[in-house]
Amino acid sequence: MPIDLESLAALDAVVRHGGFGRAAQHLHKVQSAVSYQVRKLEEQLGLTLLDREGYRVQLTPAGEALLAEGRRLLGHADHFEALARQFTDGWEPRLLLVADGILSLDAVLSALKTLADEHVPTRVQVKIEFMFGVQYRFEKEQADLMIVKDYEPDRLLHAEPLPEIECVLCASSDHPLATAGEVDLALLHEHVELTVQDSSDRGDDRHMFGGDRVYYLSGFSSKKQALHMGLGFGWMPLYLVADELARGELVEVRYRGGSRYRFTPMLVQRLDKPLGRAGRRLAELLRAAVQQGEADGRLG
């Protein structure tokens, strides 16, 4: 049966304030209206909720059990109304960010923590993709923001550059390429290349070397583990392997065509779908966190 929340609130006020008169003052109603609402609730439920025989009204056992649950309903209703008011104030109900997994998640997680601390009501979802799969996922799911390595300009998108990230070609210190000196493409083709797989149909990363022996991994964490095992060689963001390179656990592969490259990630949003308050705040926090990470030396 549908429950009248206004009558439930009247019952709660009578109990909290110790009588119908004080409840009426609190609710800014006449006493007869409050009494009527409680009676209506009792009739609707077919139960006596208040014992009115004594000097002070008290809950019956049934009333005590039902009011405890009813207060939870009232709390949910208040939260529902507050949430609705926030959305009418410009908070979007949903926000989707797609980020390239080659980037440090520190900035994203820091921004999400701030949103949580600020009690932003928007439901925020983050999806991790790789290479061309980032923009593919962004378009397929009509996401609001993306942080992307391989950005393809579009007149309906606005992109702003973030600090550069450096990548290094490396292998385990036990791998044959570690002691091979300067290597050419033919020598690289003799060994397994490690890369990550995206969900687009665009094919391989343009920085791959085109050999026949390629292992596709789910992310840079598993790729780093494979490098340590001596499974193959591959590109890694410098911030992820700087310590291992310094300790000699991983070695920079001296490829004639260059063993390092830099790219500029882009923070992208839609022009045809302006960001709401949560989106604008998230973008602001991402910029600040990325710049702080660059200052702290975490981005390479």
Side-chain angles (χ1 to χ4, degrees), residues 16-141:
R16 286 185 185 278
H17 298 282
F20 288 95
R22 291 181 180 177
Q25 291 177 1
H26 174 75
L27 296 173
H28 306 290
K29 295 181 177 181
V30 297
Q31 183 171 329
S32 59
V34 175
S35 180
Y36 169 75
Q37 285 182 312
V38 174
R39 285 287 188 191
K40 184 174 71 171
L41 181 61
E42 289 178 316
E43 291 172 2
Q44 182 184 24
L45 297 174
L47 295 167
T48 300
L49 303 176
L50 288 175
D51 182 353
R52 299 168 175 81
E53 297 299 324
Y55 170 75
R56 184 185 179 95
V57 292
Q58 293 183 340
L59 287 167
T60 64
E64 191 170 333
L66 289 171
L67 182 57
E69 187 63 32
R71 282 172 173 163
R72 282 191 280 271
L73 290 176
L74 291 171
H76 287 310
D78 289 342
H79 177 71
F80 181 87
E81 291 179 2
L83 200 59
R85 285 194 300 271
Q86 287 175 317
F87 290 140
T88 59
D89 289 338
W91 295 109
E92 55 270 55
R94 170 188 173 275
L95 184 67
L96 175 57
L97 166 69
V98 183
D100 196 309
I102 197 173
L103 307 172
S104 171
L105 277 179
D106 288 355
V108 174
L109 297 177
S110 174
L112 293 180
K113 183 179 185 305
T114 300
L115 290 182
D117 292 343
E118 293 175 352
H119 302 288
V120 171
T122 299
R123 177 186 176 188
V124 182
Q125 187 175 16
V126 178
K127 294 194 174 182
I128 304 300
E129 273 288 352
F130 300 96
M131 299 181 295
F132 300 109
V134 179
Q135 196 155 347
Y136 167 79
R137 182 68 58 188
F138 178 81
E139 295 294 348
K140 181 179 180 181
E141 301 198 18

Side-chain angles (χ1 to χ4, degrees), residues 152-169:
E152 295 187 331
D154 188 299
R155 63 183 181 83
L156 295 179
L157 301 177
H158 170 73
E160 56 184 282
L162 297 174
E164 280 189 336
I165 290 180
E166 187 171 19
C167 291
V168 57
L169 187 65

